Amino acid sequence: MIKMKHDSSTISWNTLGDEWFELAHTSESRNCFIMPYMLNLIGDVKGKKILDLGCGEGGYSRALAKSGAELTAVDCSEKAICYAQDLAVKENLHIDHYIRNSNDLFGITDNVFDIVLCSMMLMDCEDFEGTIREIARVLEPEGKLYASVLHPCFDGNHERGIGRQGSGVDRQVVAMNYFEPREWEAPLYGGTTPVVWRHRTLEEYIKTFIKCGLTIIDINEPRATDEQAKISTAMAWLQKIPLYLYWVLKK
């Protein structure tokens, strides 16, 4: 029996459980900004074969399955996959779930998916190049990768890397060190359990995509709408600073 390869990322995310599920369901940024933007960017998925890589509690997978896509959901956390499976069953959705490191999607054949979705996970996986190689392998020719990450120019370690000064909607980004630190531990926003965070530069993202045979066809730095800005000060700040970066790439 083949076992999942473990590294610092898989070990870290397997320490989270109920805390992550609660944060996923209640996170203002995820539910009011990050997820809606991605689903709108992907567009019509009816009949598409989609891999939700780093699926977490499965919110994207369920939404895409309800829109008529054929879903495979993968995460390194066994507890997350069990949670996602239970919700899929309760909602009468057929989704194939696998526990895998993103750099080794064993059991998944080559050239099978129309779309691979990576929402807010590429910046954190330890083996970034290995993950992109696996994505390229399982995408069909002309298939697309849709990925969102923390914007490397505007977010990072706030104490020693890319920090903040001031408060409210007029607070500023302070670039103390764009290149470092590359790795640190801290809880998720609103959480208590530390996980491994990573900072990757734009150069690293782009050179790795090219090296693995993917072509960038679109890039977006989404800005909060006026309606979203009314939700909170944090959301209003997103009309000034792009904290998230969205890639669309083609094999």
Side-chain angles (χ1 to χ4, degrees):
M1 180 179 178
I2 302 176
K3 293 185 178 180
M4 182 184 75
K5 294 180 180 179
H6 275 288
D7 56 29
S8 62
S9 294
T10 67
I11 293 169
S12 174
W13 286 93
N14 270 280
T15 63
L16 289 176
D18 295 340
E19 179 177 299
W20 161 234
F21 308 145
E22 177 65 21
L23 289 172
H25 288 300
T26 60
S27 170
E28 176 184 275
S29 58
R30 178 183 188 265
N31 297 309
C32 299
F33 191 81
I34 298 170
M35 188 170 177
Y37 190 90
M38 177 62 82
L39 293 176
N40 183 66
L41 183 65
I42 295 174
D44 184 12
V45 296
K46 188 173 183 180
K48 301 287 188 180
K49 292 184 177 180
I50 299 178
L51 170 62
D52 182 4
L53 185 57
C55 68
E57 49 76 53
Y60 284 91
S61 294
R62 293 189 299 277
L64 292 166
K66 290 173 185 176
S67 295
E70 182 180 331
L71 261 295
T72 298
V74 171
D75 201 273
C76 68
S77 167
E78 181 176 0
K79 192 163 187 178
I81 287 296
C82 290
Y83 185 90
Q85 284 177 319
D86 287 344
L87 287 182
V89 169
K90 288 178 181 177
E91 296 184 30
N92 197 31
L93 298 170
H94 176 75
I95 300 172
D96 294 323
H97 292 86
Y98 296 94
I99 303 168
R100 299 285 188 274
N101 189 318
S102 59
N103 68 2
D104 184 16
L105 303 176
F106 62 88
I108 298 177
T109 57
D110 299 353
N111 307 312
V112 66
F113 295 106
D114 300 295
I115 292 171
V116 173
L117 165 64
C118 293
S119 176
M120 303 300 290
M121 62 81 69
L122 289 179
M123 65 278 186
D124 290 326
C125 57
E126 179 178 316
D127 184 4
F128 177 51
E129 182 176 331
T131 295
I132 299 303
R133 288 196 182 280
E134 279 292 84
I135 290 170
R137 178 182 69 81
V138 302
L139 273 173
E140 69 169 10
E142 303 298 311
K144 294 179 181 178
L145 165 62
Y146 289 83
S148 61
V149 298
L150 288 172
H151 199 306
C153 296
F154 298 100
D155 209 359
N157 183 290
H158 291 181
E159 294 183 1
R160 295 181 291 135
I162 300 173
R164 306 286 184 261
Q165 85 178 8
S167 61
V169 76
D170 292 322
R171 66 179 173 162
Q172 300 174 354
V173 172
V174 181
M176 296 174 284
N177 191 334
Y178 173 69
F179 298 104
E180 300 291 342
R182 294 182 59 83
E183 181 179 314
W184 66 96
E185 288 193 1
L188 296 176
Y189 300 120
T192 59
T193 304
V195 294
V196 175
W197 296 74
R198 289 185 170 84
H199 170 72
R200 292 191 159 96
T201 63
L202 282 172
E203 179 180 3
E204 183 178 357
Y205 282 115
I206 293 170
K207 286 184 179 294
T208 303
F209 292 147
I210 294 170
K211 184 177 182 180
C212 296
L214 298 180
T215 300
I216 299 169
I217 60 173
D218 195 14
I219 188 169
N220 295 274
E221 298 171 308
R223 180 184 300 183
T225 65
D226 290 340
E227 285 302 309
Q228 289 170 326
K230 294 175 183 177
I231 295 172
S232 67
T233 299
M235 292 290 284
W237 196 50
L238 295 178
Q239 290 192 316
K240 295 185 174 185
I241 302 296
L243 288 185
Y244 311 105
L245 182 62
Y246 286 68
W247 308 90
V248 184
L249 302 105
K250 181 183 288 187
K251 181 174 175 180

